[in-house]
Amino acid sequence: MGQNASRYNQDELAEFQDLTYFTKREVLHVHKRFCGLSPEKAKDERNPVLSKQEILSLPELAANPFNERILDVFSQSGDGRMNFEEFLDMMSQFSSKAPLNTKIDIAFRIYDFNDDGEICEKDLEKVVLFLIQPSVTGGNLSSDDRQKVVNNESVTKTSLSLEDRKQIVQRVIREMDMDDDGTISYLDFKHGMSKLNGFEESFKITL
Protein backbone atom coordinates (compact mmCIF):
# COMPACT_ATOMS: atom_id res chain seq x y z
CA MET A 1 0.00 0.00 0.00
CA GLY A 2 2.98 2.25 0.57
CA GLN A 3 2.44 5.87 1.57
CA ASN A 4 -1.34 5.71 1.12
CA ALA A 5 -1.69 3.05 3.84
CA SER A 6 -0.58 5.53 6.56
CA ARG A 7 -3.55 7.80 5.88
CA TYR A 8 -5.77 5.69 8.12
CA ASN A 9 -4.79 4.56 11.60
CA GLN A 10 -5.86 1.28 13.16
CA ASP A 11 -8.92 2.84 14.83
CA GLU A 12 -10.13 4.25 11.51
CA LEU A 13 -9.54 0.95 9.76
CA ALA A 14 -11.43 -0.84 12.53
CA GLU A 15 -14.36 1.54 12.02
CA PHE A 16 -14.35 0.90 8.27
CA GLN A 17 -14.29 -2.83 9.00
CA ASP A 18 -17.30 -2.50 11.33
CA LEU A 19 -19.29 -0.50 8.76
CA THR A 20 -18.59 -2.74 5.76
CA TYR A 21 -18.30 -6.39 4.77
CA PHE A 22 -14.52 -6.03 4.47
CA THR A 23 -11.57 -6.88 6.66
CA LYS A 24 -8.96 -4.19 7.38
CA ARG A 25 -6.70 -5.68 4.71
CA GLU A 26 -9.53 -5.56 2.19
CA VAL A 27 -10.30 -1.94 3.14
CA LEU A 28 -6.71 -1.06 2.33
CA HIS A 29 -6.98 -2.87 -0.99
CA VAL A 30 -10.13 -0.91 -1.86
CA HIS A 31 -8.29 2.28 -0.91
CA LYS A 32 -5.46 1.33 -3.26
CA ARG A 33 -7.93 0.87 -6.11
CA PHE A 34 -9.59 4.19 -5.28
CA CYS A 35 -6.26 6.02 -5.34
CA GLY A 36 -5.35 4.31 -8.60
CA LEU A 37 -8.30 5.97 -10.31
CA SER A 38 -6.68 9.39 -9.82
CA PRO A 39 -3.05 9.09 -8.66
CA GLU A 40 -2.42 12.84 -8.74
CA LYS A 41 -5.37 13.66 -6.46
CA ALA A 42 -4.47 10.78 -4.17
CA LYS A 43 -0.92 12.09 -3.93
CA ASP A 44 -1.89 15.67 -3.06
CA GLU A 45 -4.97 15.21 -0.87
CA ARG A 46 -5.68 13.10 2.20
CA ASN A 47 -9.32 12.48 1.30
CA PRO A 48 -9.76 13.38 -2.37
CA VAL A 49 -13.12 13.58 -4.09
CA LEU A 50 -13.03 11.87 -7.48
CA SER A 51 -15.15 12.97 -10.41
CA LYS A 52 -17.83 10.82 -12.01
CA GLN A 53 -15.58 10.10 -14.98
CA GLU A 54 -12.71 9.06 -12.72
CA ILE A 55 -14.97 6.63 -10.83
CA LEU A 56 -16.41 5.30 -14.08
CA SER A 57 -12.90 4.37 -15.21
CA LEU A 58 -13.09 1.44 -12.79
CA PRO A 59 -13.29 -1.47 -15.29
CA GLU A 60 -16.14 -3.25 -13.49
CA LEU A 61 -18.26 -0.11 -13.65
CA ALA A 62 -17.30 0.78 -17.19
CA ALA A 63 -18.84 -2.50 -18.37
CA ASN A 64 -22.06 -2.08 -16.38
CA PRO A 65 -25.02 -0.59 -18.31
CA PHE A 66 -26.28 1.00 -15.07
CA ASN A 67 -22.90 2.53 -14.17
CA GLU A 68 -24.04 6.15 -14.00
CA ARG A 69 -27.21 5.21 -12.15
CA ILE A 70 -25.10 3.30 -9.61
CA LEU A 71 -23.09 6.45 -8.96
CA ASP A 72 -26.32 8.42 -8.52
CA VAL A 73 -27.33 5.99 -5.78
CA PHE A 74 -24.02 5.93 -3.89
CA SER A 75 -22.84 9.52 -4.41
CA GLN A 76 -24.09 11.76 -1.62
CA SER A 77 -23.57 14.82 -3.80
CA GLY A 78 -25.93 13.34 -6.38
CA ASP A 79 -23.63 14.17 -9.29
CA GLY A 80 -21.51 11.02 -9.31
CA ARG A 81 -18.55 12.40 -7.38
CA MET A 82 -17.25 10.22 -4.55
CA ASN A 83 -14.83 10.37 -1.67
CA PHE A 84 -13.24 7.20 -0.36
CA GLU A 85 -15.96 6.49 2.21
CA GLU A 86 -18.65 6.55 -0.49
CA PHE A 87 -16.52 4.43 -2.81
CA LEU A 88 -15.88 1.94 0.00
CA ASP A 89 -19.62 1.73 0.75
CA MET A 90 -20.35 1.00 -2.91
CA MET A 91 -17.60 -1.63 -3.19
CA SER A 92 -18.71 -3.28 0.05
CA GLN A 93 -22.33 -3.62 -1.02
CA PHE A 94 -21.26 -4.99 -4.40
CA SER A 95 -18.77 -7.43 -2.85
CA SER A 96 -19.23 -11.19 -2.81
CA LYS A 97 -19.52 -10.99 0.98
CA ALA A 98 -22.63 -8.82 0.90
CA PRO A 99 -25.80 -10.85 1.62
CA LEU A 100 -28.61 -11.32 -0.87
CA ASN A 101 -30.88 -8.81 0.89
CA THR A 102 -28.24 -6.10 0.51
CA LYS A 103 -27.97 -6.74 -3.22
CA ILE A 104 -31.75 -6.73 -3.59
CA ASP A 105 -31.83 -3.36 -1.84
CA ILE A 106 -29.15 -2.00 -4.19
CA ALA A 107 -31.01 -3.23 -7.27
CA PHE A 108 -34.29 -1.75 -6.07
CA ARG A 109 -32.69 1.65 -5.46
CA ILE A 110 -31.05 1.57 -8.89
CA TYR A 111 -34.25 0.59 -10.70
CA ASP A 112 -36.39 3.11 -8.79
CA PHE A 113 -35.33 5.97 -11.05
CA ASN A 114 -37.72 8.55 -9.59
CA ASP A 115 -36.86 7.57 -6.00
CA ASP A 116 -40.48 7.26 -4.88
CA GLY A 117 -40.08 3.92 -3.09
CA GLU A 118 -41.70 1.77 -5.79
CA ILE A 119 -40.92 0.65 -9.33
CA CYS A 120 -43.56 1.95 -11.72
CA GLU A 121 -44.04 1.47 -15.45
CA LYS A 122 -41.83 4.47 -16.31
CA ASP A 123 -39.05 3.06 -14.12
CA LEU A 124 -39.33 -0.31 -15.82
CA GLU A 125 -39.23 1.25 -19.28
CA LYS A 126 -35.89 2.77 -18.33
CA VAL A 127 -34.67 -0.57 -16.96
CA VAL A 128 -35.61 -2.25 -20.25
CA LEU A 129 -33.60 0.26 -22.26
CA PHE A 130 -30.63 0.07 -19.90
CA LEU A 131 -30.62 -3.70 -19.39
CA ILE A 132 -32.21 -5.40 -22.38
CA GLN A 133 -30.97 -3.07 -25.10
CA PRO A 134 -27.30 -4.19 -24.68
CA SER A 135 -28.29 -7.86 -24.96
CA VAL A 136 -30.11 -7.12 -28.21
CA THR A 137 -27.59 -4.80 -29.86
CA GLY A 138 -24.35 -6.00 -28.28
CA GLY A 139 -23.54 -2.54 -26.93
CA ASN A 140 -24.66 -0.24 -24.11
CA LEU A 141 -26.58 2.97 -24.64
CA SER A 142 -24.30 5.97 -24.91
CA SER A 143 -23.97 8.31 -21.92
CA ASP A 144 -26.08 10.91 -23.75
CA ASP A 145 -28.79 8.37 -24.52
CA ARG A 146 -28.82 7.12 -20.93
CA GLN A 147 -29.36 10.68 -19.75
CA LYS A 148 -32.21 11.08 -22.24
CA VAL A 149 -33.81 7.93 -20.84
CA VAL A 150 -33.49 9.25 -17.28
CA ASN A 151 -35.04 12.56 -18.37
CA ASN A 152 -37.95 10.75 -20.10
CA GLU A 153 -36.74 11.91 -23.52
CA SER A 154 -36.99 9.72 -26.59
CA VAL A 155 -34.03 7.65 -27.79
CA THR A 156 -33.96 7.05 -31.50
CA LYS A 157 -31.13 4.52 -31.75
CA THR A 158 -32.87 1.50 -30.26
CA SER A 159 -33.82 -1.85 -31.76
CA LEU A 160 -36.74 -2.16 -29.34
CA SER A 161 -39.94 -0.48 -30.46
CA LEU A 162 -42.14 1.36 -28.01
CA GLU A 163 -44.67 -1.46 -28.25
CA ASP A 164 -41.96 -4.07 -27.54
CA ARG A 165 -40.88 -2.16 -24.43
CA LYS A 166 -44.45 -1.78 -23.17
CA GLN A 167 -45.09 -5.51 -23.59
CA ILE A 168 -41.96 -6.38 -21.62
CA VAL A 169 -42.88 -3.89 -18.88
CA GLN A 170 -46.43 -5.21 -18.59
CA ARG A 171 -45.19 -8.81 -18.43
CA VAL A 172 -42.75 -7.97 -15.64
CA ILE A 173 -45.45 -6.19 -13.65
CA ARG A 174 -47.86 -9.11 -14.06
CA GLU A 175 -45.21 -11.51 -12.79
CA MET A 176 -43.98 -9.44 -9.82
CA ASP A 177 -46.90 -7.27 -8.67
CA MET A 178 -48.36 -9.44 -5.91
CA ASP A 179 -51.03 -6.96 -4.74
CA ASP A 180 -52.17 -5.94 -8.25
CA ASP A 181 -51.72 -2.21 -7.70
CA GLY A 182 -49.87 -1.68 -10.98
CA THR A 183 -46.46 -1.05 -9.40
CA ILE A 184 -43.68 -3.16 -7.89
CA SER A 185 -43.16 -2.50 -4.19
CA TYR A 186 -39.96 -3.38 -2.36
CA LEU A 187 -41.62 -6.53 -0.99
CA ASP A 188 -42.78 -7.50 -4.51
CA PHE A 189 -39.25 -6.97 -5.80
CA LYS A 190 -37.62 -8.85 -2.95
CA HIS A 191 -39.92 -11.82 -3.46
CA GLY A 192 -39.20 -11.93 -7.18
CA MET A 193 -35.43 -11.43 -7.00
CA SER A 194 -34.94 -13.97 -4.21
CA LYS A 195 -36.13 -16.68 -6.60
CA LEU A 196 -34.08 -15.52 -9.60
CA ASN A 197 -31.04 -17.71 -10.27
CA GLY A 198 -27.83 -15.75 -10.81
CA PHE A 199 -29.22 -12.47 -9.53
CA GLU A 200 -26.36 -11.92 -7.07
CA GLU A 201 -23.74 -12.34 -9.80
CA SER A 202 -25.19 -9.31 -11.60
CA PHE A 203 -24.45 -7.15 -8.57
CA LYS A 204 -20.92 -8.16 -7.70
CA ILE A 205 -17.58 -6.40 -8.04
CA THR A 206 -14.54 -8.57 -7.32
CA LEU A 207 -11.64 -6.97 -5.44
Side-chain angles (χ1 to χ4, degrees):
M1 189 72 184
Q3 184 179 359
N4 290 331
S6 64
R7 295 185 183 184
Y8 298 106
N9 59 41
Q10 287 301 311
D11 289 340
E12 290 172 317
L13 290 174
E15 183 176 2
F16 287 144
Q17 179 175 261
D18 290 341
L19 294 173
T20 67
Y21 300 107
F22 291 137
T23 64
K24 293 179 183 178
R25 182 182 295 275
E26 289 169 334
V27 170
L28 290 176
H29 184 69
V30 173
H31 186 255
K32 182 177 181 179
R33 294 203 67 183
F34 177 78
C35 292
L37 298 176
S38 183
E40 287 302 314
K41 286 184 180 178
K43 178 181 177 181
D44 297 336
E45 306 173 39
R46 184 180 190 275
N47 189 21
V49 175
L50 303 192
S51 69
K52 173 188 285 190
Q53 292 308 313
E54 287 169 333
I55 299 294
L56 288 177
S57 68
L58 187 74
E60 294 87 345
L61 282 179
N64 192 310
F66 289 95
N67 51 19
E68 295 186 31
R69 178 62 185 156
I70 291 169
L71 298 197
D72 290 342
V73 168
F74 285 96
S75 168
Q76 293 183 15
S77 64
D79 59 5
R81 293 180 300 156
M82 285 187 181
N83 60 23
F84 173 64
E85 286 80 4
E86 292 164 318
F87 184 80
L88 179 65
D89 180 38
M90 177 184 72
M91 295 292 282
S92 173
Q93 294 192 49
F94 271 92
S95 74
S96 59
K97 292 184 176 181
L100 176 61
N101 283 346
T102 294
K103 297 188 180 297
I104 289 174
D105 181 63
I106 293 171
F108 187 83
R109 290 163 62 195
I110 291 170
Y111 297 162
D112 179 18
F113 280 84
N114 59 9
D115 299 317
D116 65 352
E118 59 186 17
I119 298 175
C120 63
E121 286 191 16
K122 287 188 178 296
D123 291 325
L124 282 174
E125 287 177 11
K126 294 178 174 67
V127 172
V128 168
L129 282 171
F130 275 62
L131 188 60
I132 297 180
Q133 176 71 11
S135 69
V136 173
T137 65
N140 294 340
L141 293 171
S142 68
S143 180
D144 288 343
D145 279 342
R146 284 197 296 266
Q147 192 58 51
K148 287 181 180 179
V149 171
V150 172
N151 294 338
N152 295 312
E153 300 173 11
S154 62
V155 178
T156 56
K157 295 180 180 179
T158 171
S159 62
L160 295 173
S161 69
L162 179 61
E163 185 60 30
D164 289 338
R165 298 199 297 270
K166 286 187 176 297
Q167 288 181 4
I168 294 170
V169 166
Q170 290 167 2
R171 184 166 66 247
V172 171
I173 290 178
R174 283 198 304 270
E175 292 176 354
M176 298 187 68
D177 179 19
M178 294 188 295
D179 54 6
D180 295 322
D181 64 352
T183 63
I184 299 173
S185 68
Y186 178 76
L187 290 178
D188 293 336
F189 188 78
K190 182 177 180 180
H191 180 261
M193 293 300 101
S194 63
K195 299 186 299 181
L196 185 63
N197 290 332
F199 167 76
E200 291 175 88
E201 292 300 313
S202 301
F203 288 84
K204 184 172 73 173
I205 295 178
T206 303
L207 286 183

